[in-house]
Amino acid sequence: MSYTGPEFDPPQSHRPRSRRVLTVALAALVPGALLGWGVYAAVGGPGDGDGPDRAGGARPSPVPSSSRPAASADDAKTPTGASPSATAGKPSASPSTSAPAASGPLKGKVVVIDPGHNPGNFQHPSQINRRVNIGTNWKECDTTGTSTNAGWPEAKFTLDVAHRLRTLLERQGATVKLTQDGDRPYGPCVDERARIGNEARADAAVSIHADGSGAGNRGFHVILPGAVHAGAADTRAIVAPSADLGERIAGNFVRVTGSAPSNYIGGGTGLVTREDLGGLNLSTVPKVFIECGNMRDSKDAALLTSGAWRQKAAQGISEGIVSFLRG
């Protein structure tokens, strides 16, 4: 999958974190955030829909495009219990890594960006449906992700934002590694995505997604790892730094994009803690997921498919990472 670039604007057709109110985090981290949130509400904030909790509810079936099947739930969305099955082989591909920057405030820092899913996943159902061990249980290797009602896939959105984010972080001097760069036929599996960040000894890792909830469900949320200690999973050492990273990303995302926190999950904080995601459970470095918006809501989809807004999304995530790494 190639980088579509800023000019690509297609036509449009669970746990809440206990009492960490986003406004408090914003007051400490980004004083201008509440203003951005207020602007969002004034020009068309979250709808009145009181839809299901995407971290625990059923997902509506997306409308497929002519070139890909309907998308399914994924590791950053609906939790699933599973039993192990036989292990199949994985494609081999080296994650894309930028050259170390000569200078900048993040010189010497390593950031791993994990663009959720892969545009080719739907062509490899047996490989992405096989189960992998995420510590607490077994889960699908990966999924196809969701799409807009017009059929624009989440996997293209995530890779586009990842490229923009990489450019911004490299300008700050960081060494950036992507878990995939459209350079492999499918995947990687969720356990490999975590392993890439671990082996890179990343100072921060962020997995980029967009949600697939019901119409009327709007806004972003950042998923933080819960305290898990089971099997190969032990997140206890990364819970606190990951929470710090996630709060800083959420605050800057509001300020830069003007988007409000999710109106259907997270209790209005924009922060959700989960213990069922392999990409978090198996991480040994500070890591969060961000669901940048809901692709199945027409208003959110209009933002997600806008190149200008995706640049703002990347900027908000970048500024959150920079704030975290600089302390």
Side-chain angles (χ1 to χ4, degrees), residues 195-221:
R195 188 163 60 250
I196 291 168
N198 298 343
E199 292 176 351
R201 298 185 179 182
D203 296 287
V206 177
S207 188
I208 300 170
H209 290 265
D211 211 352
S213 187
N217 292 342
R218 297 197 62 195
F220 77 93
H221 62 276

Side-chain angles (χ1 to χ4, degrees), residues 90-96 178-181 183-186 188 192 196:
K90 294 181 289 186
S92 58
S94 299
S96 172
L178 270 59
T179 59
Q180 59 93 10
D181 197 7
D183 52 357
R184 53 191 295 160
Y186 65 88
E192 184 183 354
I196 291 168

Side-chain angles (χ1 to χ4, degrees), residues 108-128:
K109 300 295 186 180
V110 176
V111 178
V112 169
I113 304 172
D114 178 28
H117 314 290
N118 183 314
N121 276 358
F122 78 96
Q123 296 176 318
H124 301 273
S126 63
Q127 289 92 341
I128 67 167

Side-chain angles (χ1 to χ4, degrees), residues 73-120:
D74 64 73
D75 187 58
K77 301 177 180 67
T78 306
T80 54
S83 59
S85 66
T87 299
K90 294 181 289 186
S92 58
S94 299
S96 172
T97 307
S98 64
S103 62
L106 298 187
K107 180 174 173 57
K109 300 295 186 180
V110 176
V111 178
V112 169
I113 304 172
D114 178 28
H117 314 290
N118 183 314

Side-chain angles (χ1 to χ4, degrees), residues 244-286:
D244 186 19
L245 172 63
E247 289 165 3
R248 290 173 188 262
I249 288 176
N252 281 279
F253 199 85
V254 168
R255 180 177 59 81
V256 176
T257 68
S259 293
S262 170
N263 66 355
Y264 61 99
I265 185 172
T269 67
L271 301 170
V272 179
T273 301
R274 288 178 60 176
E275 299 176 357
D276 62 307
L277 303 180
L280 296 180
N281 285 1
L282 299 176
S283 181
T284 59
V285 300

Side-chain angles (χ1 to χ4, degrees), residues 61-322:
S61 298
V63 177
S65 70
S66 59
S67 61
R68 63 193 300 273
S72 62
D74 64 73
D75 187 58
K77 301 177 180 67
T78 306
T80 54
S83 59
S85 66
T87 299
K90 294 181 289 186
S92 58
S94 299
S96 172
T97 307
S98 64
S103 62
L106 298 187
K107 180 174 173 57
K109 300 295 186 180
V110 176
V111 178
V112 169
I113 304 172
D114 178 28
H117 314 290
N118 183 314
N121 276 358
F122 78 96
Q123 296 176 318
H124 301 273
S126 63
Q127 289 92 341
I128 67 167
N129 287 330
R130 73 179 183 85
R131 308 285 180 169
V132 297
N133 192 332
I134 65 167
T136 54
N137 62 294
W138 292 70
K139 203 165 187 179
E140 291 85 355
C141 158
D142 200 9
T143 62
T144 60
T146 189
S147 67
T148 64
N149 291 332
W152 195 55
E154 179 186 1
K156 289 190 175 181
F157 167 82
T158 65
L159 197 55
D160 180 277
V161 174
H163 284 143
R164 297 168 188 269
L165 178 57
R166 177 174 60 188
T167 298
L168 292 169
L169 291 170
E170 288 176 345
R171 289 174 183 168
Q172 296 288 319
T175 297
V176 181
K177 175 174 288 190
L178 270 59
T179 59
Q180 59 93 10
D181 197 7
D183 52 357
R184 53 191 295 160
Y186 65 88
C189 296
V190 295
D191 58 339
E192 184 183 354
R193 290 174 186 265
R195 188 163 60 250
I196 291 168
N198 298 343
E199 292 176 351
R201 298 185 179 182
D203 296 287
V206 177
S207 188
I208 300 170
H209 290 265
D211 211 352
S213 187
N217 292 342
R218 297 197 62 195
F220 77 93
H221 62 276
V222 178
I223 304 174
L224 314 175
V228 174
H229 186 210
D234 187 354
T235 63
R236 292 173 295 176
I238 68 164
V239 167
S242 295
D244 186 19
L245 172 63
E247 289 165 3
R248 290 173 188 262
I249 288 176
N252 281 279
F253 199 85
V254 168
R255 180 177 59 81
V256 176
T257 68
S259 293
S262 170
N263 66 355
Y264 61 99
I265 185 172
T269 67
L271 301 170
V272 179
T273 301
R274 288 178 60 176
E275 299 176 357
D276 62 307
L277 303 180
L280 296 180
N281 285 1
L282 299 176
S283 181
T284 59
V285 300
K287 184 174 182 179
V288 299
F289 283 46
I290 180 166
E291 298 278 1
C292 296
N294 176 20
M295 299 194 91
R296 307 299 293 170
D297 176 83
S298 60
K299 291 181 179 179
D300 267 12
L303 300 176
L304 296 166
T305 54
S306 162
W309 188 88
R310 291 196 300 274
Q311 187 65 31
K312 291 180 181 180
Q315 184 71 41
I317 298 169
S318 172
E319 293 188 14
I321 294 171
V322 171

